[in-house]
Amino acid sequence: MDKKELRRLYRGVAVADDISRATVGILMEDGLVRKAGLLLLYWPMNDEIDIRPLFGCGIPTALPYMVDDRNMEFALYDGRLSEGRHGLMEPAERSPVMPDDDSIMLIPALAYDREGYRLGRGMGCYDRYLAHRRLFTIGVVPSSRLIPVLPHDDHDVRVNMLASEKGLETAGR
């Protein structure tokens, strides 16, 4: 299947609450996440793992916001949201943060493959954001959407790890 067909297959298919809870539990138990100085998270859509319990775990949290139709930045989340471009919820205060070596980014997807390539919504925002930044990244996805191989392009950025309700694994193993 190509990316367009895969998006049709997964877009809008809700993630069950128990899968989200189990995935968040695994992430909260992981020492790597607990030691992060900054978590770059996302406000979940219904077809993504709901990671909102991580927002209150005592680690500073930043969420993405759209700068224009193609590019995003992250701003600290202070509990206030507003609807941004494309109907996504974004931090109300939009002062960009600069992640550093102890920052971890959790990245949603419609699907991932075991190499860490992501099937997103087709806008390329995460790939552009990560193209010139070195961040530790964790792809967050239900295990049923971890597929053997995804079509990918040269500009697609792989994640370092994958998280699902079944556990954490290093991408590319």
Side-chain angles (χ1 to χ4, degrees), residues 113-116 136 158-163 167-173:
D113 70 13
R114 300 278 180 190
E115 293 298 310
F136 191 84
R158 294 177 358 163
V159 295
N160 301 103
M161 292 190 87
L162 297 163
L168 287 169
E169 63 184 79
T170 302
R173 289 201 331 182

Side-chain angles (χ1 to χ4, degrees), residues 1-134:
M1 279 193 217
D2 66 14
K3 286 183 179 183
K4 192 174 188 178
E5 293 169 314
L6 287 165
R7 284 188 185 100
R8 250 189 311 240
L9 180 65
Y10 295 121
R11 185 176 279 141
V13 177
V15 175
D17 290 341
D18 61 329
I19 290 174
S20 288
R21 278 193 301 276
T23 305
V24 167
I26 288 165
L27 287 164
M28 288 179 131
E29 291 171 10
D30 183 64
L32 182 67
V33 172
R34 283 185 305 182
K35 292 177 187 172
L38 175 67
L39 289 176
L40 299 150
L41 302 179
Y42 59 90
W43 190 265
M45 299 177 76
N46 76 328
D47 55 9
E48 299 169 341
I49 297 282
D50 185 349
I51 60 164
R52 288 178 292 177
L54 290 172
F55 292 14
C57 71
I59 301 169
T61 300
L63 295 176
Y65 65 94
M66 297 302 296
V67 176
D68 54 38
D69 285 334
R70 295 179 37 87
N71 298 292
M72 68 180 189
E73 288 291 339
F74 280 79
L76 288 177
Y77 173 63
D78 64 4
R80 297 176 301 134
L81 295 168
S82 63
E83 188 173 322
R85 293 173 191 259
H86 313 293
L88 300 174
M89 298 309 290
E90 301 178 344
E93 180 61 40
R94 292 184 174 106
S95 298
V97 296
M98 294 301 163
D100 56 24
D101 291 343
D102 67 346
S103 301
I104 294 177
M105 177 186 281
L106 272 59
I107 305 175
L110 296 171
Y112 274 98
D113 70 13
R114 300 278 180 190
E115 293 298 310
Y117 287 107
R118 172 179 181 269
L119 177 69
R121 299 187 183 277
M123 294 171 42
C125 297
Y126 279 94
D127 292 318
R128 275 189 294 285
Y129 184 83
L130 291 168
H132 305 290
R133 293 174 174 90
R134 291 187 48 102

